[in-house]
Amino acid sequence: MSAPTPSALVRMPFAELQGLLQTIFKQHGCSEAVAGVLAHNCASAQRDGAHSHGVFRIPGYVSTLASGWVDGRATPEVTDVAPGYIRVDARGGFAQPALAAARPMLVDKARSAGIAVLAIHNSHHFAALWPDVEPFADEGLVALSVVNSMTCVVPHGARKPLFGTNPIAFAAPCAGHDPIVFDMATSAMAHGDVQIAARSGQQLPEGMGVDAAGQPTTDPAAILDGGALLPFGGHKGSALSMMVELLAAALTGGHFSWEFDWSGHPGAKTPWTGQLIIVIDPSKAEGERFALRSRELVEQMQAVGLSRMPGERRYREREVAEREGVALSEQELQGLRELAG
Ligand code: NDP
Ligand code: PYC
């Protein structure tokens, strides 16, 4: 994950960055509501140093909106299917406004039934996944989400790409601490990080991907230019990626990662797939004990030598950004101002 070049770094208040991004989304075809949700998501990623899904993504959002591939004004249709199940048709719009539309019902259902599922289809997800789950843990709930992306990962043992980079994110409350959160692509690297490496002329570690001939390569450009990524952890990551295809697409009614054709929309970058979110109310099983048990787990991990919990780097970056402003390069800021008109 590469951060902006320190020499060209500027810092701005979170609210100012969010406002600038909101203007860009509105200027380029999003409704007020959609622009607000996406701007908050993207500014949060930049604030937390999640660079592969921060302002780096804005040109991709803009070119996708311009191509007509995604509907920035879509109003999601929420259906109350069962006591523990909600279905949302995002109507060709972004996944995050679909989650926002169903969220109050999802929390009510999780609190009354103990568990609830939100199945989103006909949606575009172009962002980090942790912003979708972390707020549930802030409310004392446990949340797990999966989303599939676009074909660029060769299943373990196969010859050609099929899966997307298919991330899994998890969040749980932890007494006296920030929630425990992890969020990871099931590919060896996120596609966004491959693009960042290609842009800055960096080679990748071995084992990340293959070139167009299927040969191992450390050249990010070769992966992007007809090559593909590998799953992380061989057959194990591949099995998780397969699970994500099943839960995010087959179960929701969304497209598998290979099922959409954006070739008629030059500039389109956002995968048109699905997303599943499962929310559990741990008080049903353990009362208030769950968060204390989470803390016990963290303490035991630290006692055996763990120095970095997943999510901890982001929380640290967030703290600095809250004090000093959100970091981005001068070049990025200039680009954003141009897009805002
Ligand atoms: P990383 O490999 O950078 O990190 C994965 C997780 O591991 C994070 O929770 C991270 O915490 C944690 N972590 C990293 N290094 C360590 C360490 N040394 N010790 C302990 N924990 C560690 O993420 P990926 O590159 O796999 O994914 C990046 C982003 O890309 C994710 O937000 C993902 O959702 C997004 N993505 C989105 C897709 C989409 O379709 N929308 C597709 C694929 C990826 P921390 O965050 O604190 O560093
Ligand atoms: O980084 O792999 C990725 C990705 C795909 C879609 C959005 N981000």
Side-chain angles (χ1 to χ4, degrees), residues 215-291:
Q215 294 305 310
T217 182
T218 56
D219 178 2
I223 292 176
L224 297 173
D225 185 17
L229 281 159
L230 296 171
F232 83 87
H235 63 282
K236 299 185 184 187
S238 196
L240 289 175
S241 191
M242 175 184 72
M243 179 194 77
V244 174
E245 293 288 347
L246 285 170
L247 294 180
L251 194 73
T252 64
H255 295 119
F256 284 124
S257 292
W258 61 91
E259 273 185 334
F260 53 88
D261 176 10
W262 49 18
S263 59
H265 293 79
K269 307 275 185 207
T270 59
W272 181 25
T273 57
Q275 178 177 10
L276 193 81
I277 301 173
I278 300 170
V279 178
I280 301 168
D281 180 359
S283 71
K284 292 285 185 286
E286 288 278 300
E288 296 306 308
R289 260 194 92 213
F290 179 84

Side-chain angles (χ1 to χ4, degrees), residues 275-324:
Q275 178 177 10
L276 193 81
I277 301 173
I278 300 170
V279 178
I280 301 168
D281 180 359
S283 71
K284 292 285 185 286
E286 288 278 300
E288 296 306 308
R289 260 194 92 213
F290 179 84
L292 293 169
R293 294 288 281 160
S294 294
R295 183 177 179 155
E296 203 178 315
L297 174 66
V298 173
E299 285 169 356
Q300 288 299 325
M301 289 162 77
Q302 288 167 341
V304 295
L306 184 93
S307 61
R308 175 178 167 186
M309 281 290 292
E312 203 176 320
R313 179 198 59 83
R314 280 195 305 102
Y315 293 138
R316 265 203 314 271
E317 297 243 8
R318 187 181 301 179
E319 234 179 82
V320 174
E322 277 161 3
R323 236 183 10 252
E324 299 175 12

